[in-house]
């Protein structure tokens, strides 16, 4: 695929407004496919979990569904990055979306024929977990090829907005469809994945043939070496790793809802949604007004604000205040995500973008999973409130330490 000439009036190089971004046909198609695919993924994962619980009524089996999705994803992430650098990224994403459409269709057939068992659902979970890293690294490394550098920060912010909307809305739509029947969810997912694959197939960009570097452990691990050799990238990616590792309080929210704030399951839903609302609001602002100066300091301040909000949430006994603090933490996290991902893409040559994106994805996945484990361990040792407050304080400390350890990150003035 080669890029078709841009004919919209907003494609003029000096126009860096939102109209210029939305006016790019390839970007519109990419975002349309992203909306459909994220929504379908959220619905499909929720449906598989519900289906498993309907079959077995076992919390252990629900945990296995998550484990079977996480482990192959962790194992395949670096391989996926290597593939994204050696293959046509658009076709890689299309293939992943088509594979997920096929999975949803097979689940429809298995449900109709009453062939769905615990092992069948675990097998599909394993397959979906293995496919997702290839889609994620392909998408992350493809986006910078669809927009000029002057629009990349806005594109990242808009991508964050889309993701937050789909993460919140996907499960809600899936829940409504599940009331009709599980196959209504699977059919909708199959349709969304198919439409997304077809839309992504028409995304045009300048495709450069990959290098003829032989496939080896050295080439697969090249992304790790590249990040390690760049203090700016190492600082940005590791900052997010430790901030989420220490500052994540998601795993303990059910305890806060029931025993500390006394708001029940309805309140738990609001607590889980509050960070996404904050991230959505900030993402909309950043998609209109990109951060232009002092990006390194603002990144570090955003992480410190995130930690401060988590510590304050840990001490809060008033439900409205807790919601506000979580929303602000989500807003600060959105600033961190947009700045970090934009820096990673701009500082990485195109031939390495897939493998570096894979390293970034690997760090994010590890921080989320290890963060939940860390919350459980520290809650056992120091109590629930002590765990959250100490985690937030540790995040603030990390922000201060990184400002000294990674001066190239702290002194970075602009994104470009």
């Amino acid at each position: 695929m080669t890029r078709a000439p841009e004919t919209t009036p907003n494609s003029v190089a000096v126009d860096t407004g939102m109209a210029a971004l939305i006016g790019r046909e390839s970007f519109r198609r990419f975002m349309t496919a992203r909306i459909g695919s994220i929504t379908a993924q959220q619905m499909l994962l929720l449906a598989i979990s519900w289906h498993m619980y309907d079959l077995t009524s076992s919390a252990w089996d629900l945990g296995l569904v998550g484990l079977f999705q996480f482990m192959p994803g962790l194992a395949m992430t670096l391989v996926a990055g290597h593939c994204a650098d050696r293959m046509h990224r658009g076709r890689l994403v299309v293939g992943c979306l088509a594979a997920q459409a096929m999975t949803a269709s097979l689940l429809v057939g298995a449900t109709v024929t009453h062939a769905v068992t615990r092992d069948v659902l675990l097998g599909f979970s394993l397959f979906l977990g293995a496919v997702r890293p290839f889609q994620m690294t392909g998408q992350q490394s493809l986006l910078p090829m669809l927009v000029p550098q002057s629009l990349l920060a806005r594109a990242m912010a808009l991508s964050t907005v889309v993701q937050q909307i789909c993460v919140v809305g996907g499960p809600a739509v899936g829940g409504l469809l599940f009331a009709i029947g599980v196959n209504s969810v699977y059919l909708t997912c199959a349709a969304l994945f198919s439409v997304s694959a077809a839309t992504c197939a028409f995304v045009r960009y300048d495709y450069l043939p990959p290098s003829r570097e032989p496939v080896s452990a050295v080439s697969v691990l090249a992304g790790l070496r590249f990040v390690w050799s760049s203090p700016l990238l190492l600082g940005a990616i590791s900052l997010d790793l430790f901030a989420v590792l220490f500052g994540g309080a998601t795993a303990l929210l059910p305890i806060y809802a029931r025993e500390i704030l006394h708001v029940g399951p309805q309140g738990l839903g609001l607590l889980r949604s509050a960070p996404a609302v904050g991230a959505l609001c900030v993402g909309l602002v950043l998609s209109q007004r990109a951060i232009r100066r002092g990006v390194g300091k603002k990144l570090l301040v955003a992480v410190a604000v995130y930690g401060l909000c988590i510590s304050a949430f840990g001490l809060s006994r008033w439900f409205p205040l807790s919601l506000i603090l979580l929303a602000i933490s989500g807003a600060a996290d959105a600033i961190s995500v947009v700045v970090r991902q934009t820096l990673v893409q701009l500082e990485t040559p195109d031939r390495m973008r897939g493998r570096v994106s894979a390293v970034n994805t690997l760090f994010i996945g590890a921080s989320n999973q290890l963060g939940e484990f860390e919350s459980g361990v520290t809650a056992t040792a120091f109590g629930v409130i002590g765990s959250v407050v100490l985690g937030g304080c540790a995040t603030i400390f990390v922000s201060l330490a990184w400002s000294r350890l990674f001066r190239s990150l702290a002194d970075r003035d602009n994104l470009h």
Side-chain angles (χ1 to χ4, degrees):
M1 301 180 192
T2 56
R3 182 186 298 171
E6 298 285 353
T7 57
T8 63
N10 294 320
S11 63
V12 180
V14 296
D15 188 354
T16 60
M18 180 57 65
L21 184 61
I22 302 300
R24 304 183 74 86
E25 185 177 3
S26 291
F27 179 75
R28 287 202 311 271
R29 289 174 176 171
F30 176 82
M31 293 305 295
T32 299
R34 184 165 167 76
I35 291 171
S37 62
I38 296 177
T39 302
Q41 284 170 350
Q42 295 296 317
M43 292 169 59
L44 184 57
L45 298 180
L46 188 65
I48 290 176
S49 296
W50 281 344
H51 203 166
M52 175 66 82
Y53 195 70
D54 279 345
L55 284 175
T56 68
S57 300
S58 169
W60 171 257
D61 287 338
L62 281 180
L64 287 180
V65 169
L67 181 65
F68 273 54
Q69 292 169 9
F70 170 70
M71 293 305 294
L74 184 65
M76 298 301 294
T77 297
L78 294 180
V79 177
H82 186 269
C83 291
D85 284 336
R86 295 184 63 86
M87 299 174 61
H88 192 291
R89 291 166 184 164
R91 293 171 187 165
L92 177 63
V93 175
V94 170
C96 292
L97 295 175
Q100 292 172 91
M102 178 191 68
T103 300
S105 300
L106 290 174
L107 280 166
V108 172
T111 303
V112 170
T113 58
H114 303 287
V116 176
T117 64
R118 170 182 178 273
D119 292 340
V120 167
L121 291 178
L122 290 178
F124 280 123
S125 297
L126 192 71
F127 178 74
L128 290 171
V131 169
R132 196 167 300 114
F134 291 89
Q135 178 187 340
M136 291 177 63
T137 53
Q139 287 176 338
Q140 290 178 19
S141 55
L142 177 59
L143 180 57
M145 305 180 73
L146 304 180
V147 297
Q149 289 190 1
S150 59
L151 292 176
L152 184 57
R154 296 176 188 268
M156 289 291 182
L158 188 57
S159 180
T160 299
V161 170
V162 166
Q163 180 171 340
Q164 294 298 334
I165 292 175
C166 294
V167 166
V168 173
V173 174
L176 294 174
L177 291 173
F178 200 86
I180 301 173
V182 67
N183 257 354
S184 64
V185 184
Y186 292 147
L187 284 169
T188 303
C189 291
L192 286 174
F193 279 128
S194 298
V195 171
S196 298
T199 304
C200 194
F202 288 95
V203 172
R204 300 289 187 260
Y205 68 96
D206 292 328
Y207 172 62
L208 300 176
S211 66
R212 298 300 180 183
E213 180 184 7
V215 180
S216 64
V218 173
S219 63
V220 171
L221 298 176
L224 283 170
R225 293 198 309 276
F226 184 84
V227 171
W228 185 261
S229 66
S230 170
L232 178 68
L233 294 184
L234 180 61
I237 294 176
S238 60
L239 176 66
D240 181 75
L241 168 66
F242 286 104
V244 176
L245 176 64
F246 294 127
T250 303
L252 301 178
L253 288 182
I255 301 176
Y256 267 84
R258 188 176 68 179
E259 299 181 8
I260 298 175
L261 298 173
H262 307 291
V263 292
Q266 293 79 13
L268 174 60
L270 293 176
L271 291 173
R272 292 292 297 266
S273 300
V277 172
L280 175 61
C281 293
V282 167
L284 288 172
V285 173
L286 293 181
S287 66
Q288 296 289 337
R289 298 176 60 87
I291 299 175
R292 298 190 181 279
R293 303 301 300 270
V295 295
K297 291 183 175 63
K298 289 175 181 176
L299 170 62
L300 292 165
V301 169
V303 171
V305 170
Y306 173 82
L308 180 63
C309 289
I310 293 301
S311 289
F313 166 77
L315 296 171
S316 173
R317 296 293 187 279
W318 187 37
F319 182 58
L321 176 60
S322 297
L323 289 178
I324 292 171
L325 289 169
L326 287 178
I328 297 174
S329 75
D333 186 54
I335 295 174
S336 170
V337 168
V338 170
V339 172
R340 173 175 49 81
Q341 290 189 350
T342 305
L343 283 175
V344 167
Q345 297 297 343
L346 290 175
E347 292 296 311
T348 306
D350 182 66
R351 62 182 178 81
M352 290 291 298
R353 278 202 176 111
R355 283 168 284 186
V356 172
S357 294
V359 173
N360 190 30
T361 300
L362 185 65
F363 274 49
I364 293 172
S367 63
N368 287 331
Q369 299 297 325
L370 293 176
E372 293 186 4
F373 176 73
E374 180 271 342
S375 295
V377 171
T378 54
T380 302
F382 304 107
V384 174
I385 295 175
S387 170
V388 175
V389 173
L390 287 175
C393 292
T395 300
I396 297 173
F397 174 78
V398 167
S399 176
L400 294 174
W402 260 234
S403 68
R404 300 293 183 183
L405 294 174
F406 297 95
R407 296 301 306 176
S408 59
L409 177 63
D411 295 338
R412 181 65 176 249
D413 186 47
N414 52 58
L415 290 170
H416 303 288

